Amino acid sequence: MKARVLLIMTSLFGIVSVVNAQLSVDSLGGVYMPGGVYSLKNRVAIGTPNNNSFYRHCNFVSTLRGNTSVYGSRIAIYGDATESVSSSTSNIGVLGRVGGCPGTNDNFGVWGQIDNSKGAAIYGKCANSVVPPVYGSYAGLFSGPVYIYGTLSATSVVSSSDIALKENIAPLESTKRGMSALDNVMAMNVVKYNYTDKVEAEKKLHFGLIAQELQEIYPNLVIKDQGGYLGINYVELVPVLIRSIQELKAELDELKGKDTTARRATYVGEETTGVLATDAHLEKAVLYQNTPNPFSSQTQIRFTLPDNTRNANIYIFDMNGKMQKQIAIDSSMDSVTINGYELSAGIYLYSLVVNGQEIDTKRMILSK
């Protein structure tokens, strides 16, 4: 029995001697492991700091405490995987896993939190990517491509768009064979499809564009990933759609203006006039803006007519070019009054026509 106890004590003494040769404890209770770049020491803490209830249930805790100044970054836990055993082996710097915990509300494989300082709770960077300046506190900060195998859910997605971050700003112009943004949008082939097993296990129905086809129209919106496959920047496709809507609206306004002019010409008998607008006696004809404008009960339209006016009229049209009122006037008059009850609420155009020639057209608004 004594021999067995002696053997156990001898073994424990040997283990403690080896541990003491590798570890040292400072006055703050930190356990050091010698080594590292430039012989810097890694601070390791094991146990339950400050008796915090959060830490009491942890198997391993690593903290940084004290005011010791060292060169470089202070790291609580550092994971380094630089050597693979075989091509089928994954290299993982830090692995967090939670499983088999029934009855719990929130389970986290890796927990990160930042308090009252600039930085990020979780930071990821590719070797060749640029470290961005950090202006605030972020739950996550990534520098380099980020790939998500699955669905990304977010309450909002924001792209940097401050003018201070841009240069070479110019209007969006045609990109292919002089085509407008509307022409380019009309040339896009919208399809429905399913992803292959490489991308999605469930065969869901999706809607979108084919990257190779869009590349012929807007090559800057097509990106090749590190696997050699093409993707589409749908976020920057939105301004193209906005531009196409603007062009469509301009075309509609132009057609609407031509149609309105044609309708007014029919009513005022412009095709029958033999008097040119450049005639001297018509240069004295003037149409003024109605007052008040907008109006609800009544408004006054003032005008000036030359003495030798043969005939003159005030025409009022709706925005579709349909005539609503025709008021005959002569050189002895200088205004007419429009009552609000004569028309429905809306925007109207009124024209002064002298001797069959349209002198001027203005807009008035009736509100009720």
Side-chain angles (χ1 to χ4, degrees):
M1 182 66 180
K2 291 181 179 181
R4 181 178 298 178
V5 173
L6 180 60
L7 177 61
I8 293 175
M9 293 180 64
T10 303
S11 300
L12 291 175
F13 178 78
I15 294 174
V16 171
S17 298
V18 173
V19 171
N20 286 336
Q22 295 176 345
L23 303 178
S24 60
V25 181
D26 66 1
S27 60
L28 298 176
V31 181
Y32 288 105
M33 294 181 181
V37 181
Y38 302 117
S39 297
L40 295 180
K41 298 177 180 180
N42 300 317
R43 177 184 291 271
V44 180
I46 301 175
T48 56
N50 297 333
N51 268 334
N52 190 304
S53 60
F54 177 81
Y55 294 107
R56 279 203 293 267
H57 301 284
C58 296
N59 293 331
F60 176 84
V61 177
S62 177
T63 61
L64 280 173
R65 297 186 181 278
N67 297 319
T68 304
S69 297
V70 295
Y71 294 102
S73 302
R74 304 179 68 215
I75 302 173
I77 298 177
Y78 178 76
D80 187 4
T82 58
E83 182 179 352
S84 60
V85 178
S86 65
S87 59
S88 61
T89 302
S90 300
N91 293 326
I92 302 174
V94 176
L95 173 63
R97 180 179 180 182
V98 175
C101 303
T104 57
N105 295 326
D106 299 309
N107 299 312
F108 304 96
V110 176
W111 170 279
Q113 178 175 327
I114 185 169
D115 299 316
N116 303 322
S117 60
K118 292 192 293 185
I122 298 176
Y123 175 72
K125 176 184 179 298
C126 292
N128 297 324
S129 59
V130 178
V131 178
V134 181
Y135 300 105
S137 298
Y138 301 93
L141 178 63
F142 300 92
S143 178
V146 177
Y147 187 87
I148 298 176
Y149 188 83
T151 301
L152 173 64
S153 298
T155 54
S156 63
V157 179
V158 179
S159 298
S160 297
S161 192
D162 195 295
I163 193 172
L165 303 176
K166 300 178 180 180
E167 61 182 3
N168 303 323
I169 300 175
L172 177 62
E173 299 175 349
S174 58
T175 59
K176 180 181 178 182
R177 298 188 300 275
M179 298 172 65
S180 64
L182 180 59
D183 293 330
N184 290 329
V185 169
M186 295 302 297
M188 295 179 186
N189 181 29
V190 181
V191 296
K192 59 181 181 179
Y193 55 88
N194 299 110
Y195 281 115
T196 64
D197 296 337
K198 294 180 179 179
V199 180
E200 188 178 58
E202 299 180 11
K203 295 295 183 179
K204 296 180 181 179
L205 184 63
H206 298 272
F207 305 93
L209 306 172
I210 303 299
Q212 284 81 354
E213 296 177 353
L214 183 65
Q215 197 171 32
E216 296 294 322
I217 305 173
Y218 287 109
N220 290 341
L221 297 182
V222 178
I223 302 171
K224 180 181 290 187
D225 63 19
Q226 299 181 35
Y229 296 102
L230 299 181
I232 295 176
N233 186 349
Y234 281 102
V235 174
E236 292 195 13
L237 186 59
V238 172
V240 177
L241 300 179
I242 295 175
R243 180 60 178 164
S244 66
I245 294 174
Q246 292 173 340
E247 292 176 353
L248 179 60
K249 177 64 165 56
E251 291 183 8
L252 291 175
D253 287 345
E254 183 179 0
L255 293 174
K256 188 176 181 179
K258 292 179 179 179
D259 182 66
T260 301
T261 301
R263 287 173 179 264
R264 293 206 308 265
T266 301
Y267 287 113
V268 302
E270 187 175 87
E271 69 280 2
T272 62
T273 181
V275 182
L276 299 178
T278 56
D279 288 351
H281 66 280
L282 289 182
E283 292 180 356
K284 297 180 180 180
V286 181
L287 178 66
Y288 301 96
Q289 183 65 54
N290 66 300
T291 54
N293 187 46
F295 71 100
S296 56
S297 57
Q298 63 178 212
T299 189
Q300 187 178 54
I301 300 177
R302 295 178 55 250
F303 52 85
T304 299
L305 295 176
D307 294 335
N308 56 352
T309 299
R310 296 196 304 271
N311 60 77
N313 292 276
I314 294 289
Y315 294 91
I316 300 177
F317 304 90
D318 61 22
M319 294 305 293
N320 292 321
K322 183 178 180 180
M323 187 177 71
Q324 301 296 314
K325 287 184 67 66
Q326 176 181 352
I327 305 173
I329 57 176
D330 56 50
S331 55
S332 64
M333 304 169 60
D334 61 2
S335 67
V336 294
T337 299
I338 306 298
N339 295 305
Y341 62 81
E342 301 178 58
L343 302 168
S344 300
I347 302 176
Y348 294 88
L349 300 175
Y350 62 95
S351 302
L352 172 62
V353 178
V354 179
N355 296 341
Q357 180 68 44
E358 183 177 343
I359 303 301
D360 196 3
T361 298
K362 297 186 181 298
R363 180 179 299 187
M364 66 180 180
I365 301 175
L366 171 59
S367 60
K368 294 185 179 180

